[in-house]
Amino acid sequence: MASIPKVCMRTERNEIRHSKPTLALVSPSSHRIRVGVIGYGYWGPQIVRNFQTRETSEVLAVCDTSPKSLQRAQQAYPEIKVTQDFDVLLRSTQIDAIAIVTPVRTHYELAKKALENGKHVFVEKPFTCKSSQAEELIELAERKNLKIMVDHTFLFTGSVKKIQQLIEDGTLGELYYYDSTRVNLGLFQHDVNVLWDLAPHDLSIMDYLIAAKPEAVVATGETHLNGVADVAFMTVYFPRKIIAHINVNWLSPVKVRTTLIGGEKKMLVWNDLDADEKIKIYDRGVEVSNGEGLYELLVSYRSGDMWAPKIEQTEALRNEISYFTECVMNDRKPFNDGAAGLRVVRMLEAADQSLKERGKVVQL
Ligand SMILES: NC(=O)c1ccc[n+]([C@@H]2O[C@H](COP(=O)([O-])OP(=O)(O)OC[C@H]3O[C@@H](n4cnc5c(N)ncnc54)[C@H](O)[C@@H]3O)[C@@H](O)[C@H]2O)c1
């Protein structure tokens, strides 16, 4: 295998001095956010591709401890520097932001170093392993006037945007429940259980759509193969009697990505694997009224039309990365910031606690 050249950005690049190398805020006159990406495994290439193909950003360097990963990065992008040494990215006066696409256990240390070195942070979900770590990073970023964006990719999909619109304009009415199945065979993560791997997608979507502080969490699950739970069921209680349930599983024979959202006026089914009609809205429901006698409940079922609205098809990560660069350039706080990441981590921590005690209710 060809050896990967270590980058020395000081000699190769840093001769050129840029206007604001050490300041946190990127000057509005800078037209591009220059990014260093750490982690080029499964998801890293998606991040690099999107930063590299936006007009408002470019990737200067990719760091990974694995020579194989770096070789892939170098083959795909000969113009990008590759290195095994994260300090090279941290020391570079040209890099404005670091994208952290490594396993969850590394997020806190890497994000902390990036912030301490004056870099904005784009970090993968889940933000950190502990809420105390997330709190510390949020405080550090605020003190240094730097941005943190947590990659809650689904918030940038046409589907979630459409559902948000249907909730906001009152089409669904008062929400009753959010019920999601997110199962497949593998990809096993080694450092986190299936809840920390797959549930952040639903938790971030719920956090965004329901927009209320959850009250309590219940989780059950079992560990079969790898020392961490690989099948789990999580329930989240929200105010206004909204209940959410998430089924996550690495041992499913088939891939399922289906969410039901029930409202007082309409209900919808979101099948993320359906290429053409991801969301179907049903004018169906149940109406209950009191009859004359004390115990007579009159139940009537409404079974109206079903329709599938048009969904924006742009790649979610593309939208998200454009938004990240916009936030950095214009000094705006992203809505999927560190605080949003922290809210998800708090739900996951509560779920872990409940899981250990076979479904004990954990108040948030
Ligand atoms: N937003 C999404 O839809 C989505 C999808 C998949 C993964 N992810 C997230 O992306 C992150 C990475 O997941 P993955 O599936 O790509 O993992 P992966 O194991 O495939 O890749 C991780 C890469 O990071 C490298 N690495 C590990 N520790 C490092 C360190 N300290 N310094 C430098 N490089 C290091 C590894 O060598 C590997 O190449 C996780 O947080 C995961 O939850 C997000």
Side-chain angles (χ1 to χ4, degrees):
M1 185 178 57
S3 67
I4 302 301
K6 283 206 170 185
V7 185
C8 183
M9 299 191 68
R10 272 186 202 286
T11 52
E12 288 190 37
R13 291 259 203 176
N14 291 5
E15 308 307 327
I16 314 155
R17 286 266 153 204
H18 280 258
S19 51
K20 293 186 92 178
T22 53
L23 289 185
L25 194 65
V26 174
S27 108
S29 60
S30 322
H31 296 300
R32 287 185 149 206
I33 301 300
R34 292 150 303 182
V35 183
V37 178
I38 178 159
Y40 198 83
Y42 164 69
W43 194 241
Q46 309 296 329
I47 301 292
V48 172
R49 173 174 58 78
N50 275 288
F51 271 118
Q52 191 65 352
T53 51
R54 301 273 63 70
E55 278 193 355
T56 50
S57 59
E58 68 181 306
V59 178
L60 293 192
V62 170
C63 170
D64 199 299
T65 45
S66 149
K68 267 193 183 157
S69 295
L70 290 183
Q71 197 171 26
R72 278 193 295 122
Q74 194 71 100
Q75 269 163 8
Y77 302 96
E79 72 280 18
I80 295 178
K81 301 297 178 188
V82 297
T83 178
Q84 287 178 289
D85 183 0
F86 188 41
D87 280 348
V88 169
L89 273 58
L90 296 176
R91 283 197 309 264
S92 165
T93 53
Q94 294 191 316
I95 289 179
D96 305 303
I98 302 279
I100 299 166
V101 203
T102 50
V104 187
R105 65 176 184 281
T106 64
H107 291 181
Y108 163 72
E109 283 294 339
L110 298 174
K112 190 174 171 189
K113 282 187 183 161
L115 293 166
E116 282 170 347
N117 283 274
K119 315 294 187 200
H120 301 279
V121 164
F122 179 93
V123 55
E124 269 316 315
K125 62 81 194 164
F127 184 15
T128 54
C129 297
K130 292 183 190 160
S131 50
S132 56
Q133 296 172 335
E135 282 160 0
E136 189 187 328
L137 294 176
I138 292 167
E139 193 274 322
L140 178 59
E142 266 167 22
R143 194 155 27 93
K144 297 201 132 217
N145 192 25
L146 291 162
K147 307 287 171 241
I148 296 176
M149 182 181 279
V150 182
D151 182 10
H152 290 160
T153 325
F154 274 94
L155 306 188
F156 295 84
T157 57
S159 300
V160 172
K161 285 185 203 170
K162 176 54 77 180
I163 297 169
Q164 205 268 340
Q165 185 198 321
L166 293 166
I167 292 173
E168 194 150 297
D169 69 13
T171 303
L172 298 187
E174 283 294 318
L175 288 187
Y176 289 156
Y177 63 84
Y178 176 105
D179 182 8
S180 177
T181 304
R182 192 173 291 278
V183 303
N184 50 263
L185 202 57
L187 306 154
F188 273 78
Q189 297 286 327
H190 303 285
D191 57 338
V192 288
N193 65 28
V194 69
L195 278 168
W196 285 74
D197 181 34
L198 295 179
H201 294 307
D202 290 296
L203 297 177
S204 60
I205 295 167
M206 281 155 37
D207 175 64
Y208 179 64
L209 293 179
I210 299 173
K213 190 175 177 299
E215 294 170 339
V217 167
V218 170
T220 51
E222 205 45 272
T223 303
H224 301 94
L225 297 178
N226 218 16
V228 292
D230 40 37
V231 177
F233 309 95
M234 177 172 175
T235 302
V236 188
Y237 292 90
F238 283 92
R240 307 191 303 275
K241 293 190 186 175
I242 304 172
I243 189 162
H245 184 261
I246 308 167
N247 167 1
V248 285
N249 185 344
W250 284 328
L251 299 179
S252 160
V254 289
K255 182 170 177 171
V256 182
R257 296 285 185 268
T258 302
T259 305
L260 302 178
I261 299 181
E264 167 205 15
K265 294 186 188 157
K266 304 270 187 298
M267 299 181 179
L268 68 80
V269 180
W270 166 25
N271 178 0
D272 202 43
L273 303 184
D274 189 325
D276 302 321
E277 298 183 339
K278 285 191 187 300
I279 292 179
K280 289 180 181 152
I281 303 162
Y282 292 82
D283 183 11
R284 288 191 187 159
V286 182
E287 270 138 43
V288 180
S289 54
N290 281 325
E292 285 185 1
L294 193 56
Y295 300 106
E296 277 179 48
L297 279 184
L298 297 177
V299 179
S300 58
Y301 297 93
R302 193 178 66 257
S303 185
D305 290 342
M306 181 278 286
W307 74 99
K310 191 170 164 8
I311 305 293
E312 179 199 304
Q313 294 287 352
T314 329
E315 185 185 357
L317 205 48
R318 177 192 164 103
N319 294 337
E320 185 174 13
I321 278 172
S322 298
Y323 176 59
F324 175 72
T325 60
E326 245 178 72
C327 287
V328 171
M329 283 201 252
N330 301 315
D331 193 19
R332 280 190 7 227
K333 201 188 244 289
F335 70 87
N336 52 329
D337 60 356
L342 170 62
R343 293 195 292 274
V344 168
V345 170
R346 283 197 177 124
M347 287 190 262
L348 291 168
E349 276 180 336
D352 265 354
Q353 199 186 328
S354 178
L355 195 72
K356 274 192 206 123
E357 299 187 53
R358 290 201 154 189
K360 181 186 159 190
V361 178
V362 176
Q363 301 294 335
L364 284 164

